[in-house]
Amino acid sequence: MSQQLSEQELVRRESLTKLRELGINPYPQALYPVTILSKAIKENYEEGKKVVIAGRLMSRRIQGKASFAELQDSEGRIQVYFNRDEICSEDDSTLYNEVYKKLLDIGDFIGIEGELFKTQVGEISVRVKKFDLLSKSLKPLPLPKTDSEGNIHDAFTDPEMRYRQRYADLVVNPHVKEVFIKRTKLFNAMRTFFNERGYMEVETPVLQPIPGGAAAKPFITHHNSLDMPLYMRIANELYLKRLIVGGFEGVYEFSKNFRNEGMDRTHNPEFTAMEIYVAYKDYNWMMEFTENLLEYCALQVNGKTEAIFGEHKVDFKAPYKRVTMRQSIIDFTGFDIDGKSETELAEWCKSNGVEVDDTMGKGKLIDEIFGEKCEGNYIQPTFITDYPKEMSPLCKEHRDNPELTERFELMICGKEVANAYTELNDPIDQKERFEAQLKLAAKGDEEAGQFIDYDFLRALEYGMPPTSGLGIGIDRLVMYLTNNQSIQEVLFFPQMKPEKKAVELSDAEKTIFNILKANNKMELGALKSESALSGKQWDKGMKGLSKHGIVKVEVDGDTKFCVLQS
RNA sequence: GACUUGGUAGCUCAGCUGGUAGAGCAUAUCACUUUUAAUGAUAGGGUCCUGGGUUCGAGCCCCAGCCAGGUCACCA
């Protein structure tokens, strides 16, 4: 879509032409021999050391024949000093006066050969001996400035623009870049932790014929040659367990999951989960594993186990408190759910301000109570254990109480971060639980599963060793480790509605356009009378069409024609 | 989905009961050889989100819509 260029964009395009006229290729095929990054220069300063660096020009302070600029590379900024006498011969100052001062702009990528020195005020700088344009920037970047007291002026903060133009956000906001560096550190830390224990990273299908392993609304797509619907995965659990059946001791996957549900500060349609399954373990073992894992991750990402999240200070140091769901509800309400019937639970809810409806079974009711009264109170990492059976269809029954399951969730700052089970491996029990879920779904519980994965049941029939599985919401964990309140801040490219709808014509424009389409070229007066538009509407329609570049008025002697542009 | 706040120059933001649209930075031209939010001078730059309406006159008021943020509801 063609768009009007701003003055500054036009100036940069002119510079492009002038550079070419001077024989400088603004987009060279350059293998540029960078020898050092800005951070290393500052950390290991050596007076007079020759360096070759490259990056974006981010600021300039020109003072006649001398000038200071800042070059930004992947690790930060370094000051560079341009002096006319250093880079130009006596009789030709073009390189400094024209190329550097006029034709380069903030945002351009340049390469610099020079040597290190310290200015009179002691700042480590590179004295430029030679520079090359590596890539011209045609669009002015947002330009936050930091003053001597560290205050940032003109910060690029509008979330909409930052998310839509993450590339610009990353260029000008180093703290944003830092979030994503930490995100990657978290992945690396988890991989290391798992790999050191001999567990294997695997991949399982994103396109699935049955969207299993969780209860959520899937995205549906269609495979043309198979002529069948496929679902984008909502979880990878059932596939990973198949691999445990196949004989792997421990498997894990970082999985992009897709859920066709609401979007808000904590939900993006695609998000990342880490799931791991380990054979011959139970959920008690997994709790210890999880707290050790998270302590290790926090250390690797932030260098310490404490993390600030909003008003809270969270400590990831193991071990974490463990509370059963029953005890938790007693703690916060005084109500003991043990042995209560569905009716008793529903009545308690109604008289205690917990919203319920008829579709809710026992498990769901308990979950509502917990969600309403307890969940939000757990700031420090806390394991909530022993969930009702009904809401955990893939989890093994509790060894001490058949109403419960061996399941835990890890709560941090009032939100769930991890979920784990002693996995159900009794194929007959599993089949019955799936069928119970189908009934719940029929009753109207949208969270209940609506499909039975018979292939998964077949796998279980071959036998799955006792196994414990854990899922961690990676995006949420990154939020905690980087003190971000919204998931958009920890995703490079959060889902957004499209910026602009396609050019739509107004009614007047459409009328004129349709008449003209039949004739291609018409005398203006004839076109106007055929359109039967009022003077104002006609004027508006014509102006609109010319603005979109759809029509053009041509003058031939005394006659004016309106011509349709292709 | 409900409520609420916002959308004005490349960026950050002002904008009077409704009367020709402002600032700082950025840009352009000039001066300036160790500055650092460099400085001084001059100049240019705007579909005021879109579409209707009220009005002699709308950036401002009214209606509808689009996009985004926040709160809540729903939901892992």
Side-chain angles (χ1 to χ4, degrees):
Chain A
M1 203 168 78
S2 72
Q3 226 184 338
Q4 198 101 39
L5 293 175
S6 71
E7 186 199 17
Q8 294 190 46
E9 288 170 308
L10 289 170
V11 167
R12 290 186 180 213
R13 277 169 168 75
E14 281 167 28
S15 301
L16 202 63
T17 311
K18 286 183 192 158
L19 284 163
R20 289 202 165 103
E21 284 167 7
L22 285 169
I24 296 170
N25 180 358
Y27 301 104
Q29 302 79 351
L31 172 70
Y32 200 77
V34 174
T35 61
I36 192 164
L37 294 175
S38 60
K39 200 167 141 196
I41 290 178
K42 290 180 197 163
E43 281 170 0
N44 306 301
Y45 175 74
E46 284 175 52
E47 182 81 25
K49 183 178 177 181
K50 292 200 187 325
V51 294
V52 181
I53 55 175
R56 259 187 215 274
L57 190 63
M58 291 305 284
S59 75
R60 268 192 306 183
R61 297 177 286 277
I62 294 173
Q63 313 162 67
K65 283 189 253 179
S67 168
F68 289 93
E70 279 175 300
L71 199 73
Q72 176 168 296
D73 65 18
S74 61
E75 295 195 329
R77 293 186 183 185
I78 182 79
Q79 176 165 276
V80 294
Y81 174 67
F82 282 84
N83 185 307
R84 198 177 75 189
D85 300 334
E86 296 272 2
I87 55 178
C88 297
S89 62
E90 277 190 27
D91 46 344
D92 181 9
S93 57
T94 312
L95 212 50
Y96 183 77
N97 285 352
E98 291 300 314
V99 178
Y100 171 71
K101 273 169 71 174
K102 293 191 181 165
L103 302 179
L104 287 194
D105 290 290
I106 287 172
D108 290 353
F109 282 91
I110 58 174
I112 283 173
E113 293 174 31
E115 55 190 39
L116 305 187
F117 78 109
K118 278 190 183 169
T119 63
Q120 286 180 359
V121 285
E123 176 146 353
I124 294 172
S125 309
V126 177
R127 179 181 286 108
V128 179
K129 297 290 184 186
K130 181 173 178 291
F131 72 95
D132 293 287
L133 177 58
L134 299 180
S135 179
K136 181 98 192 114
S137 159
L138 293 182
K139 203 172 175 61
L141 285 165
L143 203 66
K145 289 202 162 189
T146 310
D147 66 21
S148 47
E149 279 145 30
N151 303 312
I152 296 172
H153 301 262
D154 297 341
F156 184 54
T157 52
D158 179 32
E160 177 172 1
M161 271 199 279
R162 287 181 43 238
Y163 302 155
R164 287 193 195 283
Q165 303 187 38
R166 184 67 92 182
Y167 33 88
D169 190 26
L170 290 165
V171 172
V172 305
N173 288 325
H175 58 279
V176 172
K177 207 169 166 184
E178 190 58 35
V179 169
F180 291 99
I181 291 171
K182 285 185 173 180
R183 187 181 170 110
T184 294
K185 279 186 180 168
L186 175 66
F187 280 83
N188 292 341
M190 282 196 178
R191 286 201 168 98
T192 305
F193 193 88
F194 298 149
N195 293 345
E196 277 176 354
R197 283 157 182 77
Y199 307 140
M200 190 168 81
E201 181 164 11
V202 298
E203 290 180 287
T204 64
V206 170
L207 290 175
Q208 304 180 348
I210 293 173
K217 287 182 200 146
F219 286 93
I220 304 175
T221 183
H222 184 264
H223 191 283
N224 288 344
S225 31
L226 294 177
D227 190 23
M228 61 177 278
L230 283 173
Y231 301 88
M232 303 192 63
R233 76 171 158 209
I234 54 175
N236 55 353
E237 166 153 12
L238 301 187
Y239 283 95
L240 291 177
K241 284 197 240 180
R242 284 171 168 95
L243 298 179
I244 296 294
V245 170
F248 292 106
E249 182 103 0
V251 290
Y252 69 94
E253 180 177 21
F254 290 95
S255 80
K256 263 289 181 72
N257 296 335
F258 305 84
R259 297 188 179 177
N260 203 346
E261 292 167 353
M263 287 169 59
D264 60 32
R265 203 166 89 259
T266 55
H267 295 88
N268 196 64
E270 54 182 294
F271 64 98
T272 304
M274 191 294 303
E275 292 203 17
I276 182 165
Y277 292 82
V278 186
Y280 312 115
K281 309 296 183 195
D282 66 2
Y283 81 138
N284 290 313
W285 176 89
M286 189 58 90
M287 269 188 262
E288 203 181 325
F289 182 79
T290 302
E291 60 199 12
N292 289 331
L293 169 70
L294 291 188
E295 178 182 326
Y296 176 77
C297 288
L299 270 169
Q300 293 300 307
V301 170
N302 285 326
K304 54 187 180 196
T305 59
E306 298 100 22
I308 303 289
F309 185 69
E311 57 188 5
H312 303 302
K313 188 171 186 181
V314 179
D315 194 348
F316 285 93
K317 183 148 189 59
Y320 305 156
K321 213 160 75 177
R322 303 178 185 193
V323 185
T324 65
M325 182 168 260
R326 176 187 167 202
Q327 187 58 47
S328 174
I329 292 175
I330 292 172
D331 288 346
F332 289 103
T333 68
F335 180 61
D336 189 352
I337 56 171
D338 190 40
K340 297 290 190 295
S341 70
E342 186 174 315
T343 324
E344 286 171 303
L345 289 168
E347 268 165 20
W348 187 90
C349 286
K350 279 173 203 157
S351 53
N352 285 275
V354 179
E355 273 184 51
V356 292
D357 62 60
D358 299 342
T359 69
M360 291 179 181
K362 228 168 130 175
K364 183 82 179 156
L365 287 166
I366 293 169
D367 188 39
E368 288 293 317
I369 298 172
F370 178 77
E372 182 73 27
K373 303 287 184 191
C374 311
E375 194 175 58
N377 297 302
Y378 295 104
I379 304 303
Q380 295 307 318
T382 306
F383 292 116
I384 304 299
T385 66
D386 303 349
Y387 281 61
K389 197 171 182 176
E390 197 182 341
M391 52 185 291
S392 314
L394 296 161
C395 185
K396 191 176 273 189
E397 183 178 295
H398 197 281
R399 59 195 81 181
D400 302 327
N401 182 343
E403 295 251 298
L404 303 176
T405 53
E406 298 204 346
R407 171 180 182 179
F408 71 81
E409 289 194 356
L410 176 65
M411 314 299 304
I412 300 175
C413 292
K415 294 262 196 278
E416 176 208 339
V417 172
N419 184 13
Y421 305 148
T422 301
E423 300 295 337
L424 178 55
N425 60 351
D426 173 345
I428 293 168
D429 188 0
Q430 181 67 81
K431 182 158 186 274
E432 285 167 3
R433 301 257 208 116
F434 278 155
E435 283 163 355
Q437 286 289 302
L438 269 190
K439 278 185 200 141
L440 277 178
K443 198 176 162 189
D445 184 344
E446 286 193 350
E447 282 187 47
Q450 310 194 12
F451 301 87
I452 293 185
D453 188 337
Y454 289 103
D455 176 69
F456 173 67
L457 291 173
R458 179 167 63 192
L460 288 191
E461 284 172 8
Y462 282 113
M464 181 171 86
T467 297
S468 185
L470 164 76
I472 294 181
I474 295 291
D475 305 300
R476 204 165 269 179
L477 186 55
V478 176
M479 287 164 65
Y480 287 130
L481 290 173
T482 61
N483 191 17
N484 275 298
Q485 305 288 324
S486 91
I487 194 171
Q488 283 82 11
E489 292 290 351
V490 303
L491 300 171
F492 272 128
F493 304 106
Q495 199 57 242
M496 305 280 279
K497 284 203 189 184
E499 257 174 283
K500 276 176 196 153
K501 51 186 176 184
V503 182
E504 267 187 47
L505 300 184
S506 70
D507 286 347
E509 288 167 0
K510 271 183 213 156
T511 309
I512 300 170
F513 178 75
N514 286 333
I515 298 166
L516 205 57
K517 204 164 64 178
N519 300 282
N520 232 332
K521 180 174 175 178
M522 276 180 88
E523 197 270 319
L524 219 50
L527 179 58
K528 185 183 170 187
S529 52
E530 194 173 325
S531 71
L533 290 168
S534 69
K536 192 176 178 182
Q537 288 292 311
W538 160 256
D539 187 56
K540 216 162 189 152
M542 280 302 291
K543 277 183 180 157
L545 285 170
S546 356
K547 201 168 105 184
H548 299 320
I550 294 168
V551 303
K552 199 178 169 186
V553 177
E554 287 180 357
V555 185
D556 184 10
D558 290 341
T559 327
K560 287 176 184 160
F561 292 99
C562 187
V563 185
L564 196 63
Q565 303 291 296
S566 52

